[in-house]
Amino acid sequence: MTADVLGADYETRTLPLGGGGVSATLVRRRARPATRGAVLYVHGFADYFFQAHVAEHFTARAFDFYAVDLRAYGRSLRPGETANYVPDLAAHFEEIDAATRVIREEDGHRHLVLLGHSTGGLITSLWAHERRADDVIDALVLNSPWLDLAEPWLVRTVGTALVRVVGRVAPRLVVKKGLGPVYGESIHVDHHGEWDFDTTWKPIEAFPVLAGWLRAVRRGHAAVHRGLAVAAPVLVLHSGRSHLHAKRWSPEAMTADTVLDVEHMRRWAPRIGRDVTLVQVDNGMHDLFLSAEPVRKRALAEVDEFLDGI
């Protein structure tokens, strides 16, 4: 482990992956002592781990906290790599496997909570389904998971069929230049938010959306819609409402999910596993843990209550 950009209490470790110089990065903050086990956090698209207050929350409750910056994201983005791109979301199972090996085998944790946000919520759900017989995790917590495309019906159907073809023959074709500035401006301290993060790793308007990556995401969505069989208890947190497709920031963006449709979370989350709890966090932004202080405290309190009950 080496020192991390978040400061003295954080360490990082490179996780080599499948050859070709590809790697992920594992971030760790220790509890003193870690009597309850560990939490592993997986970020979303155009994102990386910078939410130090989340790590502090869990270490104060006797969990060692870990976060993985996936390949081609954040700390793991290497010169020449296409930012945030994989042609199959299952590629990211390798970094979650590597992280859980470190946590369980090297650091000796018997209990592990997996925490996923947005695209990370989709990836962790798919991973937990595939590893359900291995008894690796004790709980899965999802913060505004991406379970369907936040677009009109025609785009979700005909558009998806087109992406399946284009994503296979021209996987690096840009299908969308970014996600727009509204969410980024809602959270960054230089605009309307509270949070300081590296905009080379997390641009205000996100990275371009590539056809091959979107094809992979839609295949993941389809798997969720068919039904997963995650064995561990699942908590799904989501905002009370969405405010989608706005071109410019407005105060409304500070109290709604401006990235995903919360109705999709309500519809599809029950298909993740046999023990799924949904909790609505009113006035939450897309990342509930970056919302206004009363909102993020409530979201974290809901996680605490859930973990206390398992």
Side-chain angles (χ1 to χ4, degrees):
M1 288 281 191
T2 59
D4 184 53
V5 295
L6 290 177
D9 292 329
Y10 296 85
E11 307 166 287
T12 62
R13 170 176 175 166
T14 299
L15 302 174
L17 306 171
V22 177
S23 63
T25 308
L26 186 64
V27 182
R28 182 178 69 187
R29 179 185 170 108
R30 291 285 204 183
R32 295 177 177 84
T35 57
R36 298 188 65 188
V39 173
L40 173 62
Y41 176 88
V42 181
H43 58 77
F45 173 66
D47 207 356
Y48 72 101
F49 176 68
F50 64 90
Q51 297 89 337
H53 65 289
V54 176
E56 292 164 9
H57 175 88
F58 287 108
T59 54
R61 284 152 182 80
F63 290 96
D64 275 353
F65 184 88
Y66 300 78
V68 61
D69 278 11
L70 301 170
R71 67 185 72 191
Y73 284 83
R75 298 165 179 81
S76 308
L77 183 59
R78 305 290 181 253
E81 288 184 328
T82 302
N84 299 192
Y85 176 77
V86 288
D88 186 342
L89 294 185
H92 291 310
F93 294 0
E94 186 179 3
E95 37 260 66
I96 301 176
D97 287 339
T100 57
R101 278 195 298 270
V102 171
I103 293 167
R104 283 198 171 273
E105 298 175 14
E106 297 186 22
D107 290 354
H109 287 293
R110 295 178 59 192
H111 301 289
L112 175 59
V113 176
L114 187 58
L115 171 56
H117 167 57
S118 195
T119 310
L122 174 61
I123 293 166
T124 53
S125 296
L126 297 170
W127 177 89
H129 169 77
E130 289 296 320
R131 302 292 184 264
R132 62 192 180 278
D134 299 340
D135 198 27
V136 180
I137 61 171
D138 299 278
L140 176 63
V141 177
L142 305 177
N143 169 6
S144 302
W146 190 14
L147 305 181
D148 205 344
L149 202 61
E151 298 290 349
W153 177 84
L154 190 64
V155 177
R156 297 200 310 272
T157 54
V158 176
T160 294
L162 182 60
V163 161
R164 285 175 182 156
V165 175
V166 175
R168 186 172 60 251
V169 300
R172 295 179 189 267
L173 178 71
V174 174
V175 296
K176 195 171 185 179
K177 292 182 179 179
L179 303 182
V182 174
Y183 178 60
E185 291 179 357
S186 299
I187 59 175
H188 197 276
V189 69
D190 288 347
H191 299 275
H192 305 281
E194 299 179 51
W195 311 102
D196 190 11
F197 51 84
D198 188 334
T199 55
T200 61
W201 290 347
K202 182 178 176 61
I204 295 298
E205 298 200 31
F207 290 105
V209 175
L210 305 185
W213 178 83
L214 187 56
R215 175 177 180 264
V217 168
R218 293 303 280 156
R219 291 173 69 187
H221 289 161
V224 173
H225 300 174
R226 289 192 299 270
L228 305 179
V230 173
V234 182
L235 172 67
V236 177
L237 302 168
H238 60 80
S239 178
R241 63 189 180 89
S242 292
H243 175 61
L244 300 172
H245 310 303
K247 301 299 184 184
R248 295 181 179 83
W249 182 89
S250 69
E252 191 173 3
M254 305 302 288
T255 57
D257 192 323
T258 58
V259 179
L260 299 180
D261 190 332
V262 299
E263 293 300 329
H264 294 161
M265 300 176 208
R266 295 187 183 109
R267 178 179 181 183
W268 298 118
R271 300 199 181 187
I272 292 173
R274 57 177 177 256
D275 181 5
V276 180
T277 301
L278 278 79
V279 174
Q280 177 174 308
V281 182
D282 289 333
N283 298 315
M285 291 194 290
H286 176 54
D287 188 337
L288 297 165
F289 301 157
L290 299 183
S291 300
E293 185 175 14
V295 179
R296 64 181 180 259
K297 282 187 173 181
R298 187 198 153 205
L300 288 165
E302 292 288 351
V303 178
D304 293 342
E305 182 177 352
F306 174 75
L307 296 180
D308 288 344
I310 62 173

